[in-house]
Amino acid sequence: MFGFGKKKKNISVTVPMTGKIVPLDQVPDPAFAQKIIGDGVAIEPEQGSLVAPFDGEVVHLIDTLHSLVIKHDSGLEILIHIGVNTVSLQGKPFTAFVKTGDSFKKGDKLIDFDIAAIKEAGLPVITPIVVANGDVVESLKIHEGSAAASSGELMEVVLK
Amino acid sequence: MEKQFTIKNPQGIHARPAGAIMKKANEFPNATISLEFNGRKVSAKSITGVLTLGMKAGDAVNVITEGDQAAEALDAVGAVLETVLD
């Protein structure tokens, strides 16, 4: 096209885990529920598999394997945190298929997690998925309902 | 300004404490606030930056501030680094 100036860019974040999409205020951790860490959405997972919601790279995988920050080729960063207080599980119910610095394609396995083990430990498995660098974002459109991993769009992010 | 602080959180700086550091740093919009650890320097206003330092309990971290309220920002962010938030 022949547009002048910078064209706004829309990034599609596909559903990264099978489950029910719920608002962030359902997450029983104020850092997420009050959007302190970032704006986004949460999924109450029904299957213990997290897959990549776009092509990108792992900026940071925490050494206890329950959380990671991934970066879209546009620069958009998304933080995904499997469960609440799951840092205390020291990585046990988690299997990571990537490490910090790895590239991945949409749909690639990132982390498997044992939902039953997390629940047995008395912890919620609800998973916030939030923008980690909100300064690059103009607006977010969030989809709701139940969804299967990689089946559709979770969020549409419009970059500045 | 620059001062060293020691991480007290038993589980290190995972998402929630990193969020608390970022929130405090953003209370100083006209100050530049950096954390320096293990040869890397990041903005305290970036959750990704703070998390990628991988700070654990007992780690000594430099807080470096410039601009408006640099002294207040140094003390405020340092206090969060030394808070137990698990």
Side-chain angles (χ1 to χ4, degrees):
Chain A
M1 299 301 287
F2 300 100
F4 292 97
K6 203 171 143 193
K7 187 179 176 291
K8 291 198 191 320
K9 193 165 181 193
N10 291 32
I11 311 294
S12 181
V13 178
T14 57
V15 176
M17 51 174 61
T18 297
K20 185 166 178 254
I21 304 168
V22 296
L24 266 188
D25 62 15
Q26 302 292 305
V27 180
D29 178 343
F32 286 106
Q34 297 170 14
K35 303 184 181 177
I36 291 167
I37 289 175
D39 201 357
V41 67
I43 295 181
E44 186 65 56
E46 285 156 12
Q47 289 175 17
S49 175
L50 171 69
V51 301
F54 44 62
D55 294 357
E57 72 170 280
V58 180
V59 180
H60 184 67
L61 171 69
I62 198 159
D63 57 6
T64 42
L65 310 180
H66 67 288
S67 177
L68 80 178
V69 179
I70 54 176
K71 185 164 147 185
H72 184 270
D73 297 336
S74 64
L76 174 72
E77 295 173 353
I78 300 282
L79 184 151
I80 301 172
H81 193 285
I82 302 168
V84 172
N85 288 328
T86 39
V87 64
S88 62
L89 301 176
Q90 304 286 338
K92 285 187 203 89
F94 303 97
T95 307
F97 299 94
V98 290
K99 59 186 188 304
T100 299
D102 282 358
S103 294
F104 51 75
K105 293 287 180 195
K106 184 166 90 174
D108 285 355
K109 266 174 174 281
L110 299 177
I111 299 172
D112 276 359
F113 52 100
D114 185 339
I115 293 176
I118 294 168
K119 287 186 172 166
E120 266 168 40
L123 299 177
V125 75
I126 190 170
T127 296
I129 298 159
V130 302
V131 174
N133 58 343
D135 52 322
V136 305
V137 172
E138 177 154 303
S139 63
L140 282 184
K141 184 179 160 202
I142 288 163
H143 296 266
E144 285 177 17
S146 290
S150 300
S151 67
E153 192 171 69
L154 176 70
M155 292 193 276
E156 184 184 0
V157 183
V158 181
L159 299 184
K160 283 178 186 165
Chain B
M1 302 187 72
E2 181 169 344
K3 192 174 170 185
Q4 195 172 74
F5 296 88
T6 302
I7 303 298
K8 298 279 167 60
N9 213 46
Q11 302 192 113
I13 302 302
H14 57 97
R16 188 169 33 240
I21 292 166
M22 178 188 67
K23 186 183 178 201
K24 184 55 72 179
N26 280 310
E27 290 174 14
F28 300 91
N30 298 314
T32 303
I33 307 171
S34 307
L35 304 183
E36 191 179 47
F37 174 65
N38 215 3
R40 292 187 61 236
K41 188 175 170 184
V42 302
S43 170
K45 297 179 182 180
S46 159
I47 186 90
T48 304
V50 174
L51 282 172
T52 55
L53 290 182
M55 297 175 281
K56 302 288 171 211
D59 285 342
V61 180
N62 274 334
V63 181
I64 303 159
T65 59
E66 289 170 47
D68 290 356
Q69 294 186 283
E72 291 90 337
L74 188 74
D75 288 343
V77 171
V80 179
L81 286 173
E82 298 206 327
T83 302
V84 174
L85 286 157
D86 280 350

